Amino acid sequence: MKTDIRTRNNVRVLGRTEGPVLLFAHGFGCDQGMWQHVLPHFTDDYKVVVFDHVGAGGSDLDAYEPEKYSTLDGYVSDVLELCEDLDLEDVTFIGHSVSAMMAVAAAARKPDRLGRIILVAPSASYMDYPEDGYTGGFSRADLDDLLVSLDTNYLVWAATMAPVIMGNPDTPALGTRLEDSFCRVNPTIARQFARVAFLSDVRHLLKDVSLPTLIMQASADLLAPDHVGVYLQERIPGSTLVRMEATGHLPHVSAPKETAGIISQYLQQST
């Protein structure tokens, strides 16, 4: 029996029932809980929707279909279905990391229900494409090694990579939190989602994004270096790039107040 999307994706609706809609989407190895310190900044004035991608957090693991979720499109379809099912209008889609790629893909389809997108620590592609001059930060060999390491022993990979991805070595508890999050994901699902996250390429969609777009570029982000934010800003028409003081790939976890402040200011300016 197919579960409804609210159960399937562990959807929660917070804040003002009739307020402007903010939809928060998490990245690889995470769940909606990663937004927990950002959400209170918005629940007084906005209708806040959070969810878990299928395979993550409190989602329905029985709903995980390997074929559907082998590409970005499977996840994008879930997001658009969620908006439809909850009858959400003029949605601000706030996506972190691979969910920022989903936001780009959703916006490029020009769905009626989205009003703007906010990309937190985004990349158009993590892989380098030297044949057309694009530097994502990782060669194909780098990514193959990363995925082999993940396949060989996921828990060791999580322990090794979490603090590197989080950054903020002066606050090791943040890296531990990300490691714990990684370790809560079913390793089989994590392996497949990692391939979606690290091998997807949305560069060809950037020119088709016509919605107002905010790009939030953290400092010293191993996965999304500074030039990647510039690349996105130059290719998404009318987009805004904000460089953050926050460091690492999860600024909403390491610097929730700054993250919320930048989002809030952008919303006030773009509405």
Side-chain angles (χ1 to χ4, degrees):
M1 180 178 176
K2 184 178 179 180
T3 55
D4 68 275
I5 193 166
R6 299 185 191 212
T7 301
R8 186 185 75 198
N9 287 91
N10 191 28
V11 177
R12 291 192 303 143
V13 180
L14 313 169
R16 282 181 53 200
T17 303
E18 302 302 324
V21 180
L22 306 182
L23 175 64
F24 289 85
H26 64 82
F28 166 77
C30 300
D31 57 30
Q32 62 183 262
M34 288 297 184
W35 296 105
Q36 65 179 338
H37 297 304
V38 171
L39 303 184
H41 294 270
F42 298 101
T43 48
D44 285 348
D45 299 312
Y46 295 89
K47 181 174 185 174
V48 174
V49 182
V50 289
F51 69 99
D52 296 324
H53 290 302
V54 173
S59 68
D60 179 7
L61 298 186
D62 290 335
Y64 187 82
E65 302 172 34
E67 183 176 356
K68 175 181 178 180
Y69 296 111
S70 65
T71 69
L72 205 64
D73 285 345
Y75 294 95
V76 173
S77 294
D78 280 358
V79 171
L80 298 180
E81 183 184 343
L82 189 160
C83 292
E84 186 79 23
D85 185 79
L86 271 64
D87 195 23
L88 305 177
E89 301 283 354
D90 195 27
V91 176
T92 298
F93 182 6
I94 303 166
H96 169 244
S97 193
V98 66
S99 283
M101 291 180 168
M102 296 174 200
V104 167
R109 292 186 189 180
K110 302 179 177 63
D112 295 337
R113 294 185 181 274
L114 295 186
R116 63 197 56 76
I117 59 174
I118 295 178
L119 314 178
V120 181
S123 177
S125 169
Y126 294 106
M127 191 190 304
D128 299 337
Y129 287 88
E131 64 272 20
D132 55 19
Y134 176 77
T135 303
F138 298 88
S139 68
R140 179 65 204 231
D142 291 335
L143 290 177
D144 286 344
D145 288 345
L146 182 151
L147 294 171
V148 167
S149 174
L150 189 152
D151 289 344
T152 302
N153 192 321
Y154 178 63
L155 296 182
V156 171
W157 180 90
T160 303
M161 291 302 299
V164 177
I165 292 171
M166 176 61 76
N168 296 276
D170 294 338
T171 314
L174 292 174
T176 300
R177 181 180 175 193
L178 183 58
E179 179 187 349
D180 290 345
S181 180
F182 283 168
C183 292
R184 287 194 296 271
V185 182
N186 178 296
T188 300
I189 293 174
R191 292 184 188 106
Q192 184 155 337
F193 195 22
R195 282 163 172 75
V196 174
F198 290 114
L199 301 180
S200 289
D201 181 1
V202 297
R203 291 175 301 150
H204 62 293
L205 299 176
L206 301 179
K207 68 182 185 306
D208 298 324
V209 176
S210 58
L211 299 177
T213 301
L214 171 64
I215 301 158
M216 296 176 62
Q217 174 73 53
S219 304
D221 183 344
L222 173 73
L223 297 185
D226 188 72
H227 68 269
V228 172
V230 175
Y231 180 93
L232 288 163
Q233 191 274 326
E234 289 176 344
R235 287 162 178 80
I236 298 177
S239 60
T240 300
L241 172 64
V242 173
R243 290 186 170 86
M244 306 181 68
E245 293 182 11
T247 60
H249 192 58
L250 288 90
H252 53 309
V253 177
S254 62
K257 186 174 181 180
E258 182 191 8
T259 300
I262 292 170
I263 293 172
S264 181
Q265 184 176 22
Y266 180 75
L267 291 173
Q268 291 169 17
Q269 292 173 346
S270 64
T271 54

